[in-house]
Structure formats: C-alpha cells, structure tokens
C-alpha cells in the first residue's frame, strides 16, 4: 500500500517545507523530477515513494507526519469519489470504535494501527479534525466551508446560551460546533458529508441529531422549533425543488421565486425557530436587491422579522427574529458594512447605519448595505482629508537630456550564458523580478518564493546594475499587463554600457517608476475626491466656498 501512495503538489510542498511555487520550479527545472502517475494536467498526483527518494537524493529535508501518512494511505484505498465515505468511516471508528467497515479487499489492519497511534498521541477529536482538514483541502473547489471568523460572528449573533440550535444546511457542522448550543440538530444534502459532520459533533461531546437529506425537499425536522437557527445555505442553486414546493406552508412571507432559493432557506429557518428566537443566515449580496425578491423582503420588514443586514467577507449576514404574536415590529433596520456595529446594535447601542423601514419600502426594497454607506455623515470631513492627501502628491521626473549615442545591445540569454546574470531558486534582496502582470522591479526585504509565471534574475553587481536591468525589462514591455503577447525575456535586448553609466540609468529608471506610481496614486485619490465631493454637495455636507459661485436663484 505504501508503494501505491500518491501526493499532490500541495502535499509535496508541505512534506518539503517549501511553498507551492518551489515545487512548480522543481518540476520545470529538473528533468528527473518524478513524473505524474495520475490525476489531471491541472491537478496531478505523484508517487509518494518516488518523491521522497528524489528529495532525499538532493539533501532536502523530508518530514512526513503520522497524520499525513494516514491521510495518504486512506486516500489510496479507493478513488476520490468515495473519499468522503472513507473519511466518515474513520470518524465512526475514532468516535465509537466501530468495526472497520471497508470491504475485505480494502482491509488494512496497519491503517487501523496507525489511527490508534494517532488518536493516542493527539486525541481522537484532534486526529479526526486533521483528516477532515486534509479532505476539505483536497476538494477545495467542490466544497464550501463557512470561514471560521464568520462562524464565530454568527454564533455571537444568536446569543451566548442558545439551547437547542438547528442548522438545516450544516455541511461539515462548522456552524453547529461554533454555536455553543446544548443540543445540536443538523441536516445536509450529502450523506457522506452528514456522516463526517455527525462524527465531528460526537467527538466534540455534543448531544446531537443529524440527517443526510436536503432540508427544503425532505424536512427531517418537520414540526421542530429550535431556540436558535444558523445557516450557510448553498448559493444560486437552480434545482431546489421550486415546482414541488409551490404553496408549502413554510412560505409565510411569500412563494420564493424560482431564481431565489436563498429566500426559501430564510423562510425555512424562520419556520423552525421559536417565537422570539434568532436566525443568523449567510446570504449572497444579490439577495438583498434582486427585483424578483422584493415582495418577500417587504413582507419580512413589515412583520419585523428582519432586524439587520451586515456585509462580512464577500457575503451578507441576515439577522432575523421570528415575531411573537401581537408584537409591535421595529421601526428601523440596521444596514452595515462593519461587523462590530451589529453586535453593538443588538446590545441596544445607538449606532450609525440604521435606516427607517418606511424609507426602505419603495419600489425596489433594496437592502444592500453598501447602497446606504454613501449617506455617511462624515463625507465632508473625508473630502477635506483626501484633498489634503491629493495636494501632497508631487510626482517628480528625472532630469533627462537628448543623447545622440546609439549603444550596441546584448540579450538576456547571452548575459545568462556569460554568467553576468543567473537565475536563483528563491528571490533575495537585490534580485530582479519580472512578470507579464507586474512591472519589473528590484526586490528589497526578506527572501521569498515567487509564482511560476514570474521570472527572477541575480546580477553580478560589478558588471550589471540591477536597477538598470529592471528598467530595461520594463521598457521591453513588462509594464503592459493587458498585452496578450508573452515576451520572450531571453531575447530582450539590454544596452551595452559601462557600469557607471548603467548605475546612472538605474537611478533614472527608478525615478521614472516612482513618477508612474505617484501618477497612479494621484488618479485614484482624485477619483475618490470627486466621489466624496458629489456626495457631500448633494447631501448638504459640503458647500462652495464664498466667492466661488455666482449668485443663483433657489430651485423651486
């Protein structure tokens, strides 16, 4: 089994203690690097044994942890399509010491011994979490896991002692684990994922109940009312059961449109929380403003069910509360882009960003927080601050004179052959870095690894000035990131000049680069200045200074 174990490029980088860019460089530079034995062109697999041998032959440190050996062994018990099932079975083994459930041809007593050792060293829960992390990493393009900071914020929004907590789209159980609930109820559409989530909760010592079925089409907790609900549902799913769920009793605030599955999840969550109970649900930003969902958004506002919308990490968090019978709905809604604001708001603190609900009930009922940030009362002060910064930008051009001398040239390839220029494995201070999307520059600071698309050069400082080389590369077209034509750097021509002349050119090149950066900075600041000026003048936070505008009649 060890001979058949395979690893990805990310695995190799972890084993060797380097960045992924270094592995890409090894594959490109060394013809004897082990070839792929499987996978795809974009995600190849390599033989673990061959990679270990190659690394050791070159004196590179190799350290494969017990956890990684278990992971590679587990991964190679079958194809990746059933990997989730195998991870779930490991959870079953670690949480309850069930009999190993793989078929006889996959029987691997040594793997069970390794699992026992791993659990003894790190604890069963931590051992399983390690394997779950590897599983998510291996399927990062197919799996979506709620970011830890977002999960922690959502747990705070539902309160410190939520009691029974339900997550109807729980995935791997991240939100349930963060919630602090005394009893955890979870459901997710994929049986393998639900198995993994269940054993994560069990190993955490939770009192839990878990089902592997889609909650919208097959509600496993029908009639159950939790103390709080958290949810990070799948976004933009077209096949969510619209036709089968027309008229469903959960749609208290309106039939969710076919293209608005997230509004179905909102109402499902409200249907499963006790009156007065909180719901924190992660939503795509478009759900706050799509025209097709305005009727449901309006009904949520009128009923007092929606209390806040806050933008966090590229998505919105909707904080809802199931209205109690006879309860008077609030008159204002919080729309914020600062997560700390919503927590203060829930504590009763008067915070900026609250909007009168009556002002939101227009034709659009757009609840996008960013739409209301332009009404910030500090636009006037911000305009003055940006203006001071803008006026302080002073681009300076180097002093250049007309020259009649025409130099001869040498190519980068010729400089490499002569040894004046070399290609280092990593970039150190003073090296030149060039890329199709980043202007060539002289690196300063700590040693770094660079991306495979970047080129790096180290000069002999007595014969070739680094700033001079960087300027020549910029002139060759490296400052045109939108160009579809890749420049062959080895054919780039460099003027043959004495080292002192090169250094003078290098200073001029550096000043031109600084001039370019200052121009870009001035342009960005100028656009922000215009935006703040328009906002401030429109909303009365700015006015023309006396004597700047002719006398005019007020508009009627």
């Amino acid at each position: 089994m060890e001979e058949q174990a395979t690893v990805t490029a990310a695995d190799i980088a972890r084993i060797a203690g380097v960045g992924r860019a270094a592995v890409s460089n090894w594959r490109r530079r060394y013809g004897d690097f082990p070839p792929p034995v499987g996978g795809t062109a974009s995600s190849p697999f390599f033989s673990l044994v061959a990679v270990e041998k190659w690394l050791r032959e070159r004196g590179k440190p190799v350290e494969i942890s017990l956890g990684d050996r278990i992971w590679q062994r587990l991964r190679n018990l079958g194809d990746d399509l059933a990997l989730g099932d195998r991870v779930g079975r490991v959870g079953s083994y670690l949480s309850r010491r069930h009999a190993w459930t793989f078929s006889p041809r996959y029987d691997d007593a040594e793997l069970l011994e390794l699992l026992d050792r791993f659990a003894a060293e790190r604890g069963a829960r931590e051992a399983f979490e390690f394997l779950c992390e590897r599983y998510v990493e291996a399927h990062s393009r197919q799996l979506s896991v709620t970011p830890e900071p977002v999960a922690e914020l959502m747990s705070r929004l539902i309160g410190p002692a939520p009691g029974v907590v339900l997550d109807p789209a729980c995935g791997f159980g991240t939100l349930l684990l963060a919630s602090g609930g005394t009893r955890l109820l979870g459901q997710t559409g994929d049986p393998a994922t639900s198995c993994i989530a269940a054993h994560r909760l069990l190993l955490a010592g939770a009192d839990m109940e878990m089902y592997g079925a889609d909650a919208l089409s097959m509600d496993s907790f029908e009639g159950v009312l939790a103390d709080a609900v958290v949810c990070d549902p799948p976004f933009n799913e077209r096949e969510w059961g619209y036709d089968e769920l027309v008229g469903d009793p959960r749609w208290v605030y309106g039939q969710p449109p076919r293209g608005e599955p997230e509004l179905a999840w909102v109402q499902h969550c409200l249907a499963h929380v006790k009156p007065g109970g909180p719901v924190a649900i992660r939503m795509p930003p478009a759900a706050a403003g799509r025209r097709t969902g305005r009727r449901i958004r309006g009904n949520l506002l009128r009923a007092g069910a929606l209390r806040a919308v806050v933008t966090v990490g590229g998505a919105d968090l909707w904080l809802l509360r199931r209205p109690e019978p006879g309860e008077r709905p609030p008159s204002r809604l919080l729309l914020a882009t600062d997560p700390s604001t919503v927590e203060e708001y829930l504590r009763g603190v008067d915070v900026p960003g609250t909007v009168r609900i009556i002002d939101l009930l227009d034709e659009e009922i757009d609840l996008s927080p960013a739409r209301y940030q332009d009404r910030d009362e500090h636009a006037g002060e911000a305009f003055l601050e940006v203006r001071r910064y803008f006026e302080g930008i002073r681009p300076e051009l180097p002093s250049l004179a007309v020259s009649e001398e025409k130099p001869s040239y040498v190519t980068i390839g010729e400089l490499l052959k002569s040894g004046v220029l070399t290609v280092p494995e990593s970039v150190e201070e003073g090296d030149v870095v060039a890329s199709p999307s980043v202007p060539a520059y002289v690196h300063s600071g700590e040693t770094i690894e660079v991306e495979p698309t970047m080129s790096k050069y180290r000069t002999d400082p007595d014969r070739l000035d680094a700033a001079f080389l960087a300027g020549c590369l910029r002139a060759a077209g490296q400052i045109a990131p939108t160009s579809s034509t890749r420049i062959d750097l080895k054919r780039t021509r460099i003027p043959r000049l004495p080292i002192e002349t090169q250094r003078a050119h290098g200073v001029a090149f550096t000043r031109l680069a600084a001039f370019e950066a200052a121009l870009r900075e001035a342009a960005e600041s100028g656009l922000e200045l215009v935006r703040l000026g328009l906002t401030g003048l429109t909303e009365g936070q700015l006015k023309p200074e006396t004597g700047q505008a002719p006398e005019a009649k007020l508009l009627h």
Side-chain angles (χ1 to χ4, degrees), residues 379-403:
E381 291 89 342
F383 174 85
L384 296 178
E385 183 179 342
V386 174
R387 187 176 71 179
R388 284 192 294 271
Y389 180 77
F390 176 78
E391 291 172 347
I393 298 175
R394 294 285 187 269
E396 293 186 11
L397 275 169
S399 297
L400 301 176
V402 175
S403 172

Side-chain angles (χ1 to χ4, degrees), residues 220-282:
S220 299
F221 293 102
E222 187 173 359
V224 173
L225 296 181
D227 295 303
V229 177
V230 289
C231 189
D232 184 358
F235 292 173
N236 303 318
E237 283 201 337
R238 295 299 175 184
E239 302 299 325
W240 59 274
Y242 171 84
D243 294 323
E244 296 80 11
L245 296 174
V246 172
D248 192 281
R250 290 171 289 182
W251 313 150
V252 172
Y253 301 94
Q255 172 70 39
R258 187 183 297 275
E260 296 265 18
E262 296 84 12
L263 293 179
W265 284 106
V266 165
Q267 297 189 76
H268 175 88
C269 291
L270 284 169
H272 278 290
V273 71
K274 294 176 180 177
V279 171
I281 180 170
R282 196 165 183 240

Side-chain angles (χ1 to χ4, degrees), residues 181-462:
T182 55
R183 178 165 170 75
L184 307 178
L185 311 178
Q187 185 168 352
T188 190
D190 178 55
T193 301
S194 70
C195 181
I196 293 173
H199 290 106
R200 289 186 74 199
L201 298 181
L202 285 172
L203 286 164
D207 175 14
M208 53 75 65
E209 192 173 346
M210 181 71 61
Y211 293 94
D214 177 71
L216 292 182
S217 58
M218 191 179 297
D219 188 357
S220 299
F221 293 102
E222 187 173 359
V224 173
L225 296 181
D227 295 303
V229 177
V230 289
C231 189
D232 184 358
F235 292 173
N236 303 318
E237 283 201 337
R238 295 299 175 184
E239 302 299 325
W240 59 274
Y242 171 84
D243 294 323
E244 296 80 11
L245 296 174
V246 172
D248 192 281
R250 290 171 289 182
W251 313 150
V252 172
Y253 301 94
Q255 172 70 39
R258 187 183 297 275
E260 296 265 18
E262 296 84 12
L263 293 179
W265 284 106
V266 165
Q267 297 189 76
H268 175 88
C269 291
L270 284 169
H272 278 290
V273 71
K274 294 176 180 177
V279 171
I281 180 170
R282 196 165 183 240
M283 299 282 280
R290 289 190 191 116
R291 190 166 181 80
T292 52
R294 66 189 187 280
R295 176 169 172 266
I296 293 176
R297 293 195 299 272
N299 288 338
L300 289 168
L301 290 176
R302 293 184 187 94
L306 183 58
R307 298 302 179 93
V309 178
V310 57
T311 300
V312 183
D316 287 343
L317 293 185
W318 287 25
L319 182 64
L320 304 106
R321 182 175 180 273
R322 182 170 178 173
E324 298 192 61
E327 183 180 28
R328 184 177 179 179
S331 61
R332 302 183 75 86
L333 177 77
L334 176 66
L335 299 172
T337 55
D338 181 357
S340 65
T341 304
V342 70
E343 296 184 69
E344 295 177 356
Y345 174 69
L346 293 177
R347 292 195 296 268
V349 178
D350 186 15
V351 298
T354 61
V355 183
R356 293 195 311 167
I357 288 177
I358 193 171
D359 294 334
L360 295 169
L361 295 173
D362 54 15
E363 270 194 34
E364 296 179 327
I365 313 182
D366 191 335
L367 308 181
S368 305
R371 178 176 181 175
Y372 300 90
Q373 299 310 301
D374 288 344
R375 301 179 184 180
D376 186 354
E377 66 269 23
H378 301 296
E381 291 89 342
F383 174 85
L384 296 178
E385 183 179 342
V386 174
R387 187 176 71 179
R388 284 192 294 271
Y389 180 77
F390 176 78
E391 291 172 347
I393 298 175
R394 294 285 187 269
E396 293 186 11
L397 275 169
S399 297
L400 301 176
V402 175
S403 172
E404 300 295 337
E405 299 178 9
K406 299 297 181 184
S408 60
Y409 292 90
V410 63
T411 66
I412 291 285
E414 291 168 337
L415 290 173
L416 289 168
K417 287 181 181 178
S418 67
V420 174
L421 205 58
T422 57
V423 178
E425 289 211 9
S426 58
V427 176
E428 298 178 357
E429 184 167 2
D431 290 344
V432 176
V433 180
S435 160
S437 59
V438 178
Y441 66 95
V442 180
H443 176 69
S444 61
E446 297 179 354
T447 301
I448 61 169
E449 299 288 342
V450 297
E451 295 298 321
T453 56
M454 292 184 174
S455 300
K456 51 192 183 298
Y457 300 108
R458 183 167 297 160
T459 66
D460 178 344
D462 294 328

Side-chain angles (χ1 to χ4, degrees), residues 53-129:
K53 182 174 181 291
W54 188 88
L55 290 171
R56 288 198 171 97
E57 285 176 349
R58 277 152 189 79
K60 300 184 184 296
V62 179
E63 183 176 352
I64 304 181
S65 68
L66 176 58
D68 276 315
R69 288 196 180 277
I70 292 172
W71 168 245
Q72 301 304 335
R73 204 175 190 98
L74 182 66
R75 191 168 191 175
N76 284 275
L77 284 173
D79 61 50
D80 263 20
L81 294 176
L83 183 56
D85 291 323
R86 299 198 294 277
V87 173
R89 290 172 183 174
V90 167
S92 175
Y93 180 76
L94 291 174
S95 62
R96 298 179 181 175
R97 291 297 191 268
H98 283 173
W100 194 243
T101 52
F102 289 123
S103 61
R105 69 189 184 93
Y106 289 142
D107 185 32
D108 191 344
E110 187 175 343
L111 177 58
L112 299 186
E113 293 176 8
L114 293 174
L115 283 169
D116 288 335
R117 279 177 50 200
F118 197 35
E121 287 180 7
R122 300 179 59 166
R125 179 184 181 185
E126 190 176 337
F128 189 54
E129 288 294 319

